[in-house]
């Protein structure tokens, strides 16, 4: 995968007016997240706003992960909100813009998660696999640390893998069932 394709994919996420966040991890944990969703504690995900440079989204990484690093992309797509609230595309964009302006995009992510307290009484959230868009993977033994000051160059050493469980990849029936599940969780009728 070439640099231009990596940047195009990242740009499509940011241009989509979706709520976007990233989570840096390794490939083994990334496989678990793609298949089962992301368990995280507060402040472990990083929100990506539409004005973020595409290189930042594509090359994001955890400084602690140097072996087989990947960047999990979390996305709550417009289509989901449109189905959830019965809004058209323009209404969804206005709604999401207001959320961002009020600093409530992380609140929205947390509201669709399954929430619980772990054994240390710390709040933990589980983002459903349907909101895991995919992952950017560092190649050639590289990691975020190598390119920390040159994210443009990092994009030459990254590929993207899409999650087949991601909301936009589901059938119409699967999308409907998933949205109904979230509506029940949020007590929306």
């Amino acid at each position: 995968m070439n640099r231009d394709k990596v940047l195009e994919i990242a740009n499509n996420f940011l241009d989509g007016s979706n709520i976007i966040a990233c989570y840096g991890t390794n490939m083994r944990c990334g496989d678990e997240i793609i298949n089962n969703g992301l368990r995280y504690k507060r402040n472990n995900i990083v929100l990506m706003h539409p004005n973020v440079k595409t290189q930042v989204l594509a090359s994001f990484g955890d400084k602690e992960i140097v072996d087989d690093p990947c960047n999990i992309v979390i996305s709550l797509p417009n289509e989901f909100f449109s189905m959830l609230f019965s809004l058209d595309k323009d209404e969804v964009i206005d709604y999401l813009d207001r959320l961002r302006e009020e600093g409530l995009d992380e609140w929205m992510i947390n509201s669709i998660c399954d929430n619980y307290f772990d054994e240390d009484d710390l709040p933990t959230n589980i983002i459903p696999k349907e909101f895991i868009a995919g992952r950017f993977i560092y190649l050639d033994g590289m990691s975020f640390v190598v390119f920390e000051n040159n994210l443009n160059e990092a994009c030459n050493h990254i590929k993207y893998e899409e999650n087949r469980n991601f909301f936009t990849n589901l059938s119409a029936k699967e999308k409907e069932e998933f949205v109904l599940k979230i509506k029940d969780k949020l007590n929306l009728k």
Side-chain angles (χ1 to χ4, degrees):
M1 182 172 288
N2 68 30
R3 177 183 188 284
D4 291 337
K5 185 65 177 169
V6 166
L7 291 174
E8 178 186 330
I9 292 166
N11 195 46
N12 286 340
F13 282 118
L14 295 171
D15 279 350
S17 296
N18 306 323
I19 292 181
I20 303 290
C22 289
Y23 180 81
T25 190
N26 61 37
M27 289 294 290
R28 183 183 52 74
C29 292
D31 290 341
E32 175 73 19
I33 292 165
I34 294 268
N35 293 320
N36 299 308
L38 170 63
R39 294 179 192 277
Y40 77 99
K41 297 180 187 331
R42 185 160 167 72
N43 298 327
N44 285 0
I45 62 172
V46 175
L47 291 169
M48 297 284 163
H49 298 284
N51 60 352
V52 167
K53 290 183 178 180
T54 54
Q55 295 91 334
V56 172
L57 174 59
S59 65
F60 179 80
D62 186 328
K63 293 179 184 182
E64 314 260 327
I65 309 282
V66 291
D67 292 329
D68 295 325
C70 69
N71 166 22
I72 301 293
V73 178
I74 301 149
S75 174
L76 280 62
N78 283 342
E79 182 182 7
F80 166 75
F81 288 108
S82 182
M83 292 176 72
L84 184 68
F85 297 122
S86 300
L87 300 172
D88 68 30
K89 183 179 179 180
D90 291 335
E91 291 172 319
V92 169
I93 290 170
D94 289 345
Y95 174 73
L96 295 179
D97 286 346
R98 280 194 313 275
L99 279 178
R100 282 189 202 91
E101 287 171 12
E102 295 174 21
L104 295 174
D105 33 3
E106 186 172 3
W107 168 83
M108 180 55 80
I109 292 173
N110 289 336
S111 70
I112 55 90
C113 290
D114 289 327
N115 314 101
Y116 68 94
F117 286 88
D118 68 12
E119 62 278 353
D120 297 323
D121 285 332
L122 295 172
T124 301
N125 301 306
I126 302 172
I127 296 175
K129 65 182 179 288
E130 292 84 358
F131 294 131
I132 307 300
R135 59 185 166 184
F136 288 99
I137 300 168
Y138 275 95
L139 305 171
D140 312 317
M142 303 295 184
S143 72
F144 174 75
V145 176
V146 174
F147 301 105
E148 195 171 5
N149 296 317
N150 189 352
L151 301 182
N152 280 325
E153 178 59 25
C155 293
N156 289 320
H157 302 275
I158 294 173
K159 73 174 183 175
Y160 180 75
E161 284 183 358
E162 186 175 43
N163 178 11
R164 62 178 162 66
N165 297 311
F166 181 48
F167 184 81
T168 60
N169 295 332
L170 301 177
S171 70
K173 183 176 187 215
E174 290 170 324
K175 287 177 184 177
E176 198 172 299
E177 289 171 354
F178 180 72
V179 169
L180 285 174
K181 180 178 132 185
I182 299 295
K183 278 186 175 186
D184 285 345
K185 176 184 173 24
L186 298 175
N187 290 320
L188 298 173
K189 301 296 175 199

